[in-house]
Amino acid sequence: MRSDFSRLFWFGWFLAMLLVPAGMYAAGMRARPIEERPMSRPPDFNTARLFDPAYYGALDKALVEQNPAREMAIKAYARLGYFLFGDVTGTQVAAGKDGWIHLRQTLLGDCIPEERMKSQVDNLAALGNALEASGKSYLFTVAPDKEAIYNDKLTPAQAELSACRTANREQLDTLLKQSGMEYFDAWSALRKLRAEIAQPVYVPYETHWTEYGSTVFIEHIVKLFAPELNLGPLVEIEPQTKTPDLGRMAGMYFQRDFARVRFDRGGHQNRNSNQVPHPEPGRPFVHNTSTSNGAPLSSRRVLILHDSFMYEAWDQVSQFFGDTLYMHWDSLTPERLATLVSTADVIIIQTVEREAFERLSTHFETDAYASAILASSPELEAEAETFWPRPPSDAP
Amino acid sequence: MVFSSLSFLHIFLPIILIATLLAHAAGRSAASNLVLLAASLVFYMWGIGASFIGILLLVITFNYVLGLWVDLNLKAGRRSRMAVTFSVICNVGVLGYFKYANFFVAETEGLRVALGFEPWLWTDVILPIGISFFTFQCMSYVFDIAAGRARAMKNPLTFALYVALFPQLIAGPIVRYGLVAEQLRERSITSRDLSEGATRFVHGLVKKVIIADSAGAIADSIFALPSGEITTTAAWLGALAYTVQIYFDFSGYSDMAIGLGRMFGFKFPENFNRPYRSVSITDFWRRWHMTLSNWFRDYVYIPLGGSRGGPGKTYVNLATIFVLTGVWHGANWTFLVWGIYNGLLLIIERITGIRNHADGATLSPLNLAARRLIVLLLVLIGWVVFRAPDIGYAMDFYTAMVVPSGFSLPAIVSLDLRTMDLMVVAIGLVIAIGVPTQVRGPEVYQGRLGAVALSGLMFAAFPFALIKVMAGTYSPFLYFQF
């Protein structure tokens, strides 16, 4: 027999648990955006909307996302599953071997017909020829998906599912090598680096290469475009604490220390912070570098078409090049590229493997880019000048 | 709105609980009825929009009028055949139109075109949630009054509450009018009601969120396989996972409904009684979705003559009931086949005499275990066609189950398979099969060991279920930094 007190205690506990989010809200705690997008807001109310089922869906979504207890719950559930069972939560990630997390997108996908891929590589090569014809240097490289370098971290099912991805990768690599383009085979370089050094070139909870991994790319472009400069010894600097992206996508949001490295030139200085965009919306990031110890910098203007893999590398790149300008694929158009290319000396085209085919399809389906670049004009060049930072000597 | 949604758990339920208890304390049942009716209409509207409130109110109105008509006839000593017939036509008509019209149009489209008619100009009808439940409740109301088992409800708001009461509105149990007529007029809410109601609700929430949803993740990924890719292992795992899912999902929802009703002072009928420990299919149907089985038994099977007309008539009546039961579950040939399959098994049990040991009391332990295993297997086989999108897929699934076609799981299933879900399915199966028949949901928490179980439920499983519900809403934007 239970006493009234005991009964009321259980009912009180039940009610209290239901009221936890309301209590947190009353205590001033507020939910914050944790899904890389703005939080849903309650939809505007009017009587007519009461008849619209979508209204309730939107209201539900807003109530869910404004729940201050939700973030803790997501983290707790995701971490419990991961650390107890090696499971990951979420539809965009998959658990591999040894605690590695993979982006599902890098495992699934259709095989791309060779003819189709070849035609896009040919268009890319046409762009390369156009650049060379206008006296510029260029380089194309593909930043590998981590599964290409750490395929031993895939489960047998994941390896089976990613057969097409593997075939596409090998085909693209072969075609790029056959095309005669200036191409950096980052797959081979990173596999070699992984075998040579103790430090990881990719980590279990992050899609991007580590700073150690990015050094193969830095080393290659410096040797290619500024061979007169001495790279200097590779040294470790203060590690950086980050929230790895795959951990975030799996809802875990744990933090890890990431090793950071530099080719030690001593005394270089970025005039512009590497994460600050150009003041004009939609314009590229700029790096305007000077050195305090007089170490020489390449005077060539370097334009880099890039994605997020460059974030691990651009501090390093700007150690060697006085003027670097970063253009993300997301805001790339033939006109914009033509404008920037007209005044650049070096053009580096970098894309991550998982997006490579999509980007080649979008931007190099035709020879529009090459045509646009060849159509460059004095007006275009004058406009282009506004993109580049002022020379270091003019900077305050 | 569903019971396992965050809006229900953290906003709707606490507000309605507090408001109902305050209203009950202030004005007894009449006041709390008004709060519950308003809450029920909001609950219903939240799911599908205010338009469908009209259908619910229409059904309530004509059944209320029919109830009064039947009551007047009874007082005047007249029979109410016309009113009862009218009730069946109206309720089944509404149910038929909303539930089966799309199916009928789709299935007859080919025939019409083949016969040279123009294709239908048809806009799909949206199915109002819970319509199968509230139309059946309304029919039971008219039938019970006509049979003199209950008196008509004079207060239209109280009758509306009987039909629309949100705990049982969208997924049952089917509460027959006679059972709650008195409670609607006057009821008390004691500390025991609150405590046991809350416990029962949490018990159901845990079953639904922790066990059923985990099993559902596995079943969904396997039943999503193209039929040519279903391996033998996948087929059995999928069928097993779905067997666990449907039981814990449906019985969990019923537990939540019963628990909610209890907290509001109502005593709803039980809907499940350890069905996976049945010793025959007859026994299974006495333990599975009991309120529906009882409804068909009392309002269709017995009026048709039941088993009083000799074996042949009994088999026809059984077959009729199970065709109706199958079709009641949804507008798809798969449900019809599932109903026929169950009806056939029941008829076979009658013919062979297996039914005579329906309660298992006279069976040896070995015989009992073997029977339970066979019945579970037969039920599992039935769930495959119940879950399959169409008959062809079900046939391919059965083929994969019996013809060895690979003993590994397809890679796409392995990719999504979570160890935690597998463990939970295994635990669910052990609970569904292994816990003694005598120990039903609420009894688990009685006695000294029950207190430990109750603490575990409330302090660990309940918070974990709430956490899982919240975690299930996480959907990060993928392209945030590529």
Side-chain angles (χ1 to χ4, degrees), chain A residues 202-272:
Chain A
Y202 287 84
V203 289
Y205 336 103
E206 172 74 35
T207 51
H208 302 95
W209 53 24
T210 61
E211 289 205 1
Y212 269 107
S214 73
T215 56
V216 293
F217 172 63
I218 317 289
E219 193 174 338
H220 187 84
I221 61 172
V222 172
K223 283 181 177 168
L224 185 66
F225 298 122
E228 71 281 10
L229 301 181
N230 183 15
L231 272 168
L234 190 67
V235 294
E236 257 194 45
I237 59 172
E238 188 71 15
Q240 186 182 17
T241 303
K242 289 200 293 188
T243 309
D245 61 356
L246 287 171
R248 279 208 303 269
M249 257 184 270
M252 287 184 280
Y253 284 83
F254 49 57
Q255 295 193 319
R256 289 288 182 275
D257 283 340
F258 283 73
R260 303 193 74 201
V261 285
R262 284 283 178 279
F263 288 106
D264 187 16
R265 305 197 74 214
H268 96 284
Q269 178 193 335
N270 279 332
R271 286 279 175 80
N272 298 311

Side-chain angles (χ1 to χ4, degrees), chain B residues 168-191:
Chain B
Q168 43 82 50
L169 176 62
I170 58 171
I174 298 170
V175 181
R176 283 153 65 169
Y177 178 67
L179 205 70
V180 290
E182 273 313 305
Q183 296 168 36
L184 284 163
R185 289 190 184 94
E186 192 57 56
R187 63 188 175 279
S188 59
I189 303 176
T190 63
S191 62

Side-chain angles (χ1 to χ4, degrees), chain A residues 2 4 10 13 18 35-36 50 53 56 60 70 77 85 87-88 92 104-105 208 248 253 308 355, chain B residues 7 10 45-46 48 50 191 416 418-420 423 445 454 458 468 473-477 479-481:
Chain A
R2 293 213 167 88
D4 267 1
W10 288 122
W13 171 258
L18 298 184
E35 288 155 309
E36 317 298 342
L50 288 176
Y56 301 94
D60 258 337
R70 181 169 168 259
Y77 185 74
F85 304 107
D87 292 335
V88 290
Q92 296 164 351
R104 278 176 68 101
Q105 186 193 9
H208 302 95
R248 279 208 303 269
Y253 284 83
S308 53
E355 299 286 345
Chain B
S7 306
H10 292 301
M45 187 169 74
W46 199 283
I48 48 176
S191 62
D416 293 323
R418 290 160 47 90
T419 312
M420 201 195 300
M423 280 180 53
Y445 307 110
L454 181 62
M458 297 301 263
K468 193 176 177 207
T473 64
Y474 184 59
S475 79
F477 180 58
Y479 291 93
F480 56 87
Q481 60 157 260

Side-chain angles (χ1 to χ4, degrees), chain B residues 35 67 90 113-114 137 184 296 302 326 335 353 379 451 475 480:
Chain B
V35 173
C90 290
V113 174
Q137 286 209 168
L184 284 163
F296 275 119
I302 291 173
F335 297 118
V379 169
S475 79
F480 56 87

Side-chain angles (χ1 to χ4, degrees), chain B residues 142-178:
Chain B
V142 177
F143 298 161
D144 282 355
I145 296 170
R149 287 192 287 262
R151 299 296 308 276
M153 176 62 74
K154 299 290 187 296
N155 184 336
L157 296 180
T158 310
F159 177 70
L161 179 63
Y162 160 65
V163 180
L165 188 58
F166 76 85
Q168 43 82 50
L169 176 62
I170 58 171
I174 298 170
V175 181
R176 283 153 65 169
Y177 178 67

